[in-house]
Amino acid sequence: MPTYSDEAVVLRTQNLGEADRIVTLLTRRHGKVRAVARGVRRTSSKFGARLEPFSQVDLQVATGRSLHHVAQAVTRNAFGEPLMVDYPRYTAGQAMLETADRLVAEEGEPAVQQYLLLVAALRALGQGVAGGQMRPGSQLLDSYLLRALAVAGYAPALTHCARCGRGDRVDFFNPSAGGVVCTGCRPPGSVPASPQLRAYLGGLLAGDWEATRDAPAPLQRAASGMVAAFASWQLERGLRSLSHVER
């Protein structure tokens, strides 16, 4: 079978038979790939823990008719190690993996930006640092969700009304409308969005950590709720892992 090499992050796994496992990977050059890792659940497996969720690996993959096969895997980064002892960050990381899995729908289609964004987010989550400052896992997750959705074409409107485009009196946020809405356009279910909250969301979307540095906890919690609602609406069904994230 023809083979190719790539780097990848393991998104999820599924047991197959007595000793095998189907591994879903987000690769740098080949997009999302599902491959069988033969004998990986045996204690004598040469792959060991290299093909567990959160692992970034160098892969050699043999192409197959329906599923590819992992021929070789070498660990680049074990992003999961620091998360296993920190439940809030672990659940935030699970939400990141699920989001990447959902946003990159077509297997084999290149998704370089999504891959690089996920790697950077997992690294920051493991270190707990972004912009030279310690950050809560929920804040790093909110930034990742907004940026990943933007890369996929679902960026929220944060400065002008998502419906009429006016730039003043945009004092409300509505997930189904696509972001902030003005007083005249707000549909039922809209929630107030102060200028400070809109600026904070803009900082998360742009990765401007300086703009989010001094945000008070109540504002962060309000923003997290909006981000979660927006992500769930755009993905058409909720992310299961979001319900476990501590905010």
Side-chain angles (χ1 to χ4, degrees):
M1 292 185 291
T3 63
Y4 64 86
S5 298
D6 207 341
E7 59 184 77
V9 173
V10 180
L11 301 180
R12 57 187 169 92
T13 62
Q14 177 184 349
N15 290 341
L16 179 66
E18 295 183 358
D20 303 337
R21 185 170 284 161
I22 298 175
V23 185
T24 301
L25 307 134
L26 180 58
T27 70
R28 180 168 187 149
R29 294 183 294 275
H30 296 82
K32 190 163 71 172
V33 170
R34 296 176 73 239
V36 176
R38 299 292 186 189
V40 73
R41 291 158 57 199
R42 296 193 180 102
T43 56
S44 59
S45 171
K46 61 181 179 180
F47 297 134
R50 300 173 191 172
L51 295 176
E52 293 292 334
F54 296 112
S55 296
Q56 184 190 24
V57 293
D58 283 325
L59 285 173
Q60 188 174 20
V61 179
T63 58
R65 292 183 179 179
S66 57
L67 286 173
H68 299 329
H69 298 267
V70 178
Q72 186 176 358
V74 178
T75 301
R76 290 174 66 97
N77 288 289
F79 292 127
E81 288 185 0
L83 305 182
M84 295 302 177
V85 295
D86 190 325
Y87 181 76
R89 292 186 184 276
Y90 174 79
T91 55
Q94 286 285 358
M96 290 178 181
L97 297 184
E98 185 181 356
T99 300
D101 192 8
R102 295 274 293 277
L103 286 176
V104 184
E106 296 296 328
E107 294 188 15
E109 290 295 320
V112 178
Q113 285 183 286
Q114 291 289 1
Y115 173 78
L116 295 177
L117 184 62
L118 178 61
V119 169
L122 291 176
R123 180 176 289 112
L125 189 65
Q127 296 172 349
V129 176
Q133 184 183 16
M134 295 298 296
R135 304 281 178 167
S138 59
Q139 188 182 62
L140 296 171
L141 171 62
D142 291 339
S143 179
Y144 169 76
L145 289 174
L146 290 175
R147 299 174 76 182
L149 287 166
V151 168
Y154 306 116
L158 296 176
T159 58
H160 291 72
C161 177
R163 290 195 164 180
C164 70
R166 68 183 296 174
D168 61 325
R169 302 184 68 188
V170 283
D171 299 325
F172 297 89
F173 185 93
N174 190 284
S176 62
V180 297
V181 288
C182 67
T183 304
C185 293
R186 60 169 177 159
S190 301
V191 296
S194 66
Q196 294 78 10
L197 191 146
R198 299 197 303 271
Y200 174 75
L201 289 173
L204 293 178
L205 176 60
D208 183 359
W209 295 108
E210 185 66 24
T212 65
R213 182 179 60 182
D214 299 321
L219 187 145
Q220 292 187 37
R221 287 193 295 270
S224 287
M226 293 180 181
V227 172
F230 182 78
S232 297
W233 177 267
Q234 298 300 332
L235 294 172
E236 297 184 352
R237 64 182 189 274
L239 296 167
R240 291 178 298 175
S241 50
L242 271 184
S243 62
H244 302 289
V245 176
E246 294 186 7
R247 297 188 178 276

